[in-house]
Amino acid sequence: MHRRRILKAGLTGLAASAVASPAIAQSSPNISWRSVSGFPKSLDVLFGSAETVAKYVGEATDGKFKIQTFAAGEIIPGLQVVDSVSNGTVEMGSTALFFSHGKDPVFSLATSMPFLLNARSMTAWLMEGGGDKMLGDFLAKFNLLRISSGNNLMNMGGWFRKEINTLADLKGLKFRIGGFAGEVFARVGGVPQVIAPGDIYPSLERGTIDGVEFVCPYDDEKLGFNKVAKYYYFPGWHDGGANIDVIINNASWAALPKHYQAALRTACSYAHQEMISRYDARNTAALRRLVGSGTELRSFSPEILAGLHKAAFEQYAETAQKNATFKTIMQSMVDFRRDFYQYYRISDYAFDSMVMSLMGSEPKSI
Amino acid sequence: MHRRRILKAGLTGLAASAVASPAIAQSSPNISWRSVSGFPKSLDVLFGSAETVAKYVGEATDGKFKIQTFAAGEIIPGLQVVDSVSNGTVEMGSTALFFSHGKDPVFSLATSMPFLLNARSMTAWLMEGGGDKMLGDFLAKFNLLRISSGNNLMNMGGWFRKEINTLADLKGLKFRIGGFAGEVFARVGGVPQVIAPGDIYPSLERGTIDGVEFVCPYDDEKLGFNKVAKYYYFPGWHDGGANIDVIINNASWAALPKHYQAALRTACSYAHQEMISRYDARNTAALRRLVGSGTELRSFSPEILAGLHKAAFEQYAETAQKNATFKTIMQSMVDFRRDFYQYYRISDYAFDSMVMSLMGSEPKSI
C-alpha cells in the first residue's frame, strides 16, 4: 500500500514536470529504418536475428525507432547487403561479412576462418581482444559499423555424394564452398564452386557438383541436401562458427540519438544469445531426423584435416604478404586463440569430456 | 546533402509535435533503483555485470531510468540479496541464486549443478528449453523475476594442500564447498565447509580447512589461495559454469514502463556476453602467473570423478523424491543436456579437438 502511494505520487510529479518541459520529447524522435538481410526467411534462425533486433529496438524506444526488416531479395539481393548499407541506400543490414570476401579478405575475418576461432573465442576476441576495434577501423573506410548479432556455431563439413577418405579424393572434386575456405580447398586440388543457396539442390541432384557445405543440421535439412547426397561430414574445418553482424551506415548511426544507439547495441546482444540458443536447441532433433532418413555421418580423416590445415596456414601467409591489415588482424586472432585454448583445454573442454564420458551410466529419469 | 535536409525537416516536425503533445514525455518517467550485488568489488568481473546493466539501462533510457549499484555488504550483506529484493527493500539484485540453496534446492537449478550443464547449454536451456519459464514460475512465489546477466564458466575443481588421488583421500577432508555440491561432497565422506570469501584464506593458511573451491584462475588469484595451497585441480565436477542473474522485485518490475523493461532485459544480454568474454580473455594469463609462481595443476582421477558423479545422481534422486518442482525442472535439464551433447560432440567439441591437435604445427607468426 505504502509502495503504491509513493509510486502514484512519483508519477503525478513526473506528469507535471513533463508538461512544464516538453523539450524532453524532442530527444526521442520518430525514426524509421530499413534493415536488409543477407538471408531468406526460410532460414528462420539466421533471418530471425534481424527480426529480434527490430523487435527489441522498437520496444526499448517505446515504438519511436522503427526498423522494418526485409529478407534477402525482397528489396536488395542477399549478396548486395554490404554495398547497399555502405552507399546509404538502406540504413542497416544483417549478414555474414565474409560474403564480401572478394572485396577484401579482411571481411572474412569478421565472420569466420578455417581452423580458427569457435563461437565463444570469436565473441571474446571481438569484445575483449581488440577485434571490434580493429574491424571497426577497417569497416569505417566503407562507411560501415558492425555489431555482432548472432553466431551459427560450427558449420558441418558438408554433404558429399561419395565417401571421402584421403586427400587424393578431394582432387578435382567440385564442391560448393566460397570465400577464403574456397581458396584453401583449391590449394589441395579441389574445385570450389560459388552457388547461391537456391541453386545448390538442383546442382547436386544433377551431379554438376559433388558436394556442398552449407550451415548445420537445422538449416541444411530445410534445403533437402540429404535427398541427393548420402554422406554428411564433420568437423567443419572451414568454419568454427560464423559471426553474424548487424551492419549500419556510419552516417545513419551518427544521426541516431545516443539512447537509440544503446538500444540497438543491446538488442544485438540479445539476438546474439538467442541465435546460439536456438541452434543449440534445434540441431540435435534435425540431426536425428536426417540420420533416421538415411544420412550417414562421417568424420574427415586425420590426413584430410592435416592437409587442409597446412593449406589454410599457407593461404594465410600468402594473403598476409599482400595485405597488411589482414596480417595484423589475423595475427591478433591467432594469438588470442592460442591463449584461449590454453585454459579452455582444462576448463570447459575438460568438463564436456568428463560429462560425455560419464553420462552413459546415468538413469534416464531422475 | 539530400539526407541531411530530410533529417532536419524530420526533427523540426518532431519538435513541433512534441510541443503540441507533451503527454509523450509522461511515458518516460524518471525512475531510480538500487541494485545490490552478491559480489564484492574486488571480484571485478562478477560485480561488473551489475555495473554494465546499469550503464546500458541508463544510456538506453536517456538517463531517465537510473540504477545505482552497491557491492556486497555496502548496504545489504551479499547473502541477503535474494531476501532484500524479495521483500522489496531494494528493487534489484545481481547474484548467483544457488546462494539461496538452503531456502529451496530449486534455487540451485537456476545457477549450476554438479555434472550438469555448461555455460552454453545452460543459456540455451534457459532461453529455448523452457528454463526461463519454469524458473520464473518458481521465483514468482518469492516475488522475484530473474534475467541472466552473466556466466562465470567452468569453475576450477579447487585448491588442495595435498594431492588427492583416490576417493579415499576425500574421506574426512575439510573442503570449502557449499549448496548442492556440498551435499554431494558429503556423500563421498568429505566434510563440506561453508565459509565467506574473506575468511577462506586465513582458514586455509591455519589448516582449519584442507582445500577450497572458488571460481577460476582470474578470481582465485585475487584471493591468493596459491600462497597457501599448492595443488589446483580440474575439471570442476561441481560447477560447469554458474549462471549469474539480475533479480528484480516483481512489483517493481510491473511498475516499469514496457520500454524500460525492454532496456533492462537487453542490457542483461550485453552483460552476459561481456562477462563470458572477459573471463575468456583473462583466465589464461592468470593461470600462467599461478603456474609461474609454483602452482601445480592436477586433474582429478577417473575414480574420483566417477564416485562424485554417482553420488551426485543419488543426491538428485533423493532431492527429487522430496521436492516435485526440483524433480520436474531437473528432469528437463537432464533431457536437454542429453540432446545438447549428441550434436555438440560432433560439432563444436569436435572442432575444438581438431584445432587443439593441429595447432602445435602452426607457425607463431602469420
Side-chain angles (χ1 to χ4, degrees):
Chain A
M1 199 47 131
H2 179 58
R3 171 184 297 276
R4 216 174 301 157
R5 233 179 299 134
I6 293 175
L7 188 71
K8 211 176 153 193
L11 286 173
T12 311
L14 271 160
S17 81
V19 174
S21 43
I24 289 170
Q26 292 178 32
S27 65
S28 295
N30 284 306
I31 291 183
S32 285
W33 275 15
R34 293 186 300 174
S35 167
V36 294
S37 176
F39 310 105
K41 280 192 179 151
S42 56
L43 298 174
D44 59 340
V45 176
L46 283 166
F47 175 71
S49 171
E51 289 185 307
T52 294
V53 170
K55 173 180 180 283
Y56 276 104
V57 165
E59 284 189 17
T61 61
D62 206 10
K64 295 196 184 73
F65 181 11
K66 285 190 180 61
I67 298 173
Q68 196 182 355
T69 57
F70 297 93
E74 280 193 319
I75 59 171
I76 301 284
L79 295 179
Q80 287 171 33
V81 167
V82 165
D83 285 340
S84 67
V85 178
S86 175
N87 66 26
T89 305
V90 292
E91 296 85 2
M92 177 174 148
S94 171
T95 192
L97 285 172
F98 66 5
F99 291 147
S100 297
H101 178 78
K103 248 187 240 307
D104 190 316
V106 173
F107 278 98
S108 287
L109 297 175
T111 308
S112 172
M113 298 295 272
F115 298 97
L116 208 63
L117 302 177
N118 62 15
R120 234 229 357 241
S121 51
M122 180 68 180
T123 305
W125 173 73
L126 288 167
M127 290 189 90
E128 298 286 326
D132 276 340
K133 173 73 174 66
M134 281 185 278
L135 291 170
D137 291 345
F138 166 76
L139 291 170
K141 292 184 286 184
F142 298 85
N143 306 316
L144 292 173
L145 180 145
R146 56 156 286 286
I147 306 172
S148 289
S149 58
N151 192 296
N152 63 14
L153 310 177
M154 187 207 79
N155 283 214
M156 284 292 284
W159 297 87
F160 293 82
R161 290 158 59 95
K162 290 179 188 166
E163 278 189 273
I164 305 295
N165 297 307
T166 66
L167 265 180
D169 291 341
L170 297 181
K171 296 247 187 300
L173 197 86
K174 283 173 284 178
F175 188 63
R176 186 265 181 187
I177 186 167
F180 196 92
E183 292 172 11
V184 173
F185 190 71
R187 229 177 156 100
V188 298
V191 186
Q193 309 280 309
V194 176
I195 303 173
D199 298 330
I200 302 173
Y201 183 93
S203 304
L204 200 56
E205 190 180 27
R206 285 197 306 268
T208 313
I209 57 173
D210 304 305
V212 52
E213 66 78 25
F214 195 60
V215 186
C216 57
Y218 181 73
D219 286 339
D220 291 6
E221 185 189 28
K222 291 174 192 287
L223 276 81
F225 302 139
N226 57 311
K227 294 174 200 147
V228 284
K230 188 171 173 186
Y231 302 100
Y232 199 21
Y233 275 80
F234 70 90
W237 57 272
H238 63 295
D239 191 346
N243 174 61
I244 307 301
D245 281 316
V246 154
I247 53 171
I248 302 155
N249 180 279
N250 262 342
S252 303
W253 175 261
L256 283 183
K258 293 269 180 259
H259 55 301
Y260 288 12
Q261 291 179 351
L264 180 48
R265 193 173 282 284
T266 56
C268 287
S269 290
Y270 186 97
H272 187 269
Q273 199 177 14
E274 181 185 66
M275 184 186 291
I276 293 173
S277 295
R278 284 180 171 174
Y279 277 122
D280 276 337
R282 298 177 193 186
N283 268 324
T284 294
L287 182 66
R288 281 204 201 114
R289 286 190 297 269
L290 291 168
V291 170
S293 73
T295 291
E296 302 248 2
L297 272 180
R298 291 281 186 279
S299 61
F300 285 123
S301 67
E303 185 214 349
I304 289 179
L305 293 176
L308 288 164
H309 176 257
K310 184 167 168 286
F313 275 78
E314 286 167 4
Q315 190 66 16
Y316 288 145
E318 199 174 297
T319 310
Q321 269 195 326
K322 293 180 279 192
N323 187 324
T325 306
F326 180 92
K327 185 180 164 83
T328 303
I329 302 181
M330 183 70 195
Q331 187 67 53
S332 165
M333 296 173 94
V334 168
D335 292 346
F336 191 90
R337 160 171 160 283
R338 194 181 301 119
D339 285 351
F340 173 80
Y341 277 116
Q342 208 164 14
Y343 178 61
Y344 193 76
R345 185 190 289 270
I346 66 154
S347 58
D348 289 49
Y349 182 83
F351 181 86
D352 291 333
S353 305
M354 171 189 73
V355 169
M356 287 191 284
S357 82
L358 290 170
M359 66 194 297
S361 68
E362 293 165 11
K364 275 224 160 186
S365 296
I366 295 303
Chain B
M1 197 49 129
H2 180 57
R3 173 185 296 275
R4 215 174 302 157
R5 234 179 299 134
I6 293 175
L7 189 71
K8 210 177 156 191
L11 285 174
T12 312
L14 270 161
S17 81
V19 174
S21 44
I24 290 169
Q26 292 178 30
S27 65
S28 295
N30 285 306
I31 291 183
S32 285
W33 275 15
R34 294 187 299 175
S35 167
V36 293
S37 176
F39 309 106
K41 279 191 179 150
S42 56
L43 298 174
D44 59 340
V45 177
L46 283 167
F47 176 70
S49 171
E51 289 184 307
T52 294
V53 169
K55 172 179 181 283
Y56 276 104
V57 165
E59 284 190 17
T61 61
D62 205 10
K64 295 195 185 73
F65 180 11
K66 286 191 180 64
I67 298 173
Q68 197 182 355
T69 57
F70 297 93
E74 280 193 317
I75 59 170
I76 300 284
L79 295 179
Q80 287 170 33
V81 167
V82 166
D83 285 339
S84 67
V85 178
S86 175
N87 65 26
T89 305
V90 292
E91 296 84 2
M92 178 174 148
S94 172
T95 192
L97 285 173
F98 67 5
F99 292 146
S100 297
H101 178 77
K103 248 186 239 308
D104 190 316
V106 173
F107 279 98
S108 287
L109 297 175
T111 309
S112 172
M113 299 294 273
F115 298 97
L116 208 64
L117 302 176
N118 61 17
R120 230 220 11 237
S121 51
M122 180 68 180
T123 305
W125 173 73
L126 287 168
M127 289 189 90
E128 297 286 325
D132 276 340
K133 173 72 174 68
M134 280 185 279
L135 291 171
D137 291 344
F138 166 76
L139 292 170
K141 292 184 285 183
F142 297 85
N143 307 315
L144 293 173
L145 182 145
R146 55 156 285 287
I147 306 172
S148 288
S149 58
N151 192 297
N152 63 14
L153 310 176
M154 189 208 77
N155 283 213
M156 285 290 284
W159 298 87
F160 294 82
R161 290 160 58 95
K162 290 181 188 164
E163 278 189 273
I164 304 296
N165 297 308
T166 65
L167 265 180
D169 291 341
L170 296 181
K171 296 249 189 298
L173 198 85
K174 282 172 284 177
F175 188 62
R176 188 264 181 188
I177 185 167
F180 196 92
E183 293 172 11
V184 173
F185 191 70
R187 232 180 152 96
V188 300
V191 186
Q193 310 279 310
V194 177
I195 303 173
D199 298 330
I200 303 173
Y201 183 93
S203 303
L204 200 56
E205 190 181 28
R206 283 197 307 268
T208 313
I209 57 173
D210 304 304
V212 52
E213 67 77 26
F214 196 60
V215 186
C216 56
Y218 182 72
D219 287 339
D220 290 7
E221 186 189 27
K222 290 174 192 287
L223 276 79
F225 301 139
N226 57 311
K227 293 174 201 148
V228 283
K230 188 172 174 186
Y231 302 100
Y232 198 21
Y233 275 80
F234 70 92
W237 58 273
H238 64 294
D239 191 346
N243 174 62
I244 306 302
D245 281 315
V246 154
I247 54 172
I248 302 155
N249 180 279
N250 262 341
S252 303
W253 175 261
L256 284 182
K258 294 266 180 260
H259 55 301
Y260 288 12
Q261 291 178 351
L264 181 47
R265 192 173 284 284
T266 56
C268 287
S269 290
Y270 186 96
H272 186 269
Q273 198 177 14
E274 182 185 66
M275 185 186 292
I276 292 173
S277 294
R278 284 179 171 176
Y279 277 122
D280 276 337
R282 299 177 192 186
N283 268 324
T284 295
L287 182 67
R288 280 202 202 116
R289 287 190 297 270
L290 290 169
V291 170
S293 74
T295 290
E296 302 249 3
L297 270 179
R298 291 282 186 279
S299 61
F300 285 121
S301 67
E303 185 214 348
I304 288 179
L305 293 176
L308 287 163
H309 175 258
K310 186 168 166 283
F313 276 78
E314 286 168 2
Q315 190 68 16
Y316 288 146
E318 198 174 299
T319 310
Q321 268 195 326
K322 292 180 279 191
N323 187 324
T325 306
F326 180 92
K327 185 181 165 83
T328 303
I329 302 180
M330 182 71 196
Q331 186 67 53
S332 164
M333 296 173 94
V334 168
D335 292 346
F336 191 90
R337 161 169 159 282
R338 195 181 300 120
D339 284 352
F340 173 81
Y341 277 116
Q342 208 165 13
Y343 178 61
Y344 192 77
R345 186 191 288 270
I346 67 154
S347 59
D348 290 49
Y349 183 83
F351 181 87
D352 292 332
S353 304
M354 172 189 74
V355 169
M356 287 191 284
S357 83
L358 290 169
M359 66 194 297
S361 68
E362 293 164 11
K364 275 222 160 188
S365 295
I366 295 303

